Amino acid sequence: MKKILLIVLSVTILAGCSEKEDYKLAVLEQMKADKDIQDYRISPEIMTNCVVASTSSNMPGLFLLDPVRRVAYKNYTKMLSLNKSSDPKKTLSELRSDFGDPKKLADAHSNFTESVVECMSNQVTSTEESNPQK
């Protein structure tokens, strides 16, 4: 019985990590393509870690394995992949449904955007402080 419980727990943990990793990859792709991040010479990996941590703190669900959090990661990943969709209108409609309503989708987009701006601001500030102009 203990072995079965251990196997189920292991699979659940891996599945929970999978959604977060998919989201992290989608964010990294966005960060690598962002012109401002390139112009300020900010590491896309550092930005990704910051944005994922920041957005995660404002996502529904309490922890990584929470089913609500796992769905949130899937939805955010889908939201970031909207511009790659073969049918963006259909995907947008699905996103509205997946998030529950258009307002929750807008809130999620706002959460992501605010996190990017906050992380970028922190990175630029820390870079300026470590390299003061004389």
Side-chain angles (χ1 to χ4, degrees), residues 121-134:
S121 174
N122 290 339
Q123 288 300 310
V124 169
T125 301
S126 70
T127 302
E128 289 174 354
E129 289 174 357
S130 66
N131 298 323
Q133 298 290 331
K134 293 182 180 182

Side-chain angles (χ1 to χ4, degrees), residues 52-76 99 104 111:
V52 169
S54 180
T55 55
S56 294
S57 68
N58 293 319
M59 281 183 186
L62 302 175
F63 52 93
L64 178 62
L65 299 178
D66 185 337
V68 175
R69 175 64 58 95
R70 291 175 60 197
V71 168
Y73 281 129
K74 284 182 184 178
N75 291 341
Y76 271 68
F99 276 98
K104 288 181 183 173
N111 178 29

Side-chain angles (χ1 to χ4, degrees), residues 35 52-53 56 115 120:
K35 183 80 170 117
V52 169
S56 294
S115 294
M120 188 177 301

Side-chain angles (χ1 to χ4, degrees), residues 12-25 64 70 73 77:
T12 304
I13 289 171
L14 289 174
C17 293
S18 172
E19 282 92 4
K20 185 174 182 179
E21 282 304 310
D22 290 346
Y23 174 59
K24 197 171 183 176
L25 288 173
L64 178 62
R70 291 175 60 197
Y73 281 129
T77 302

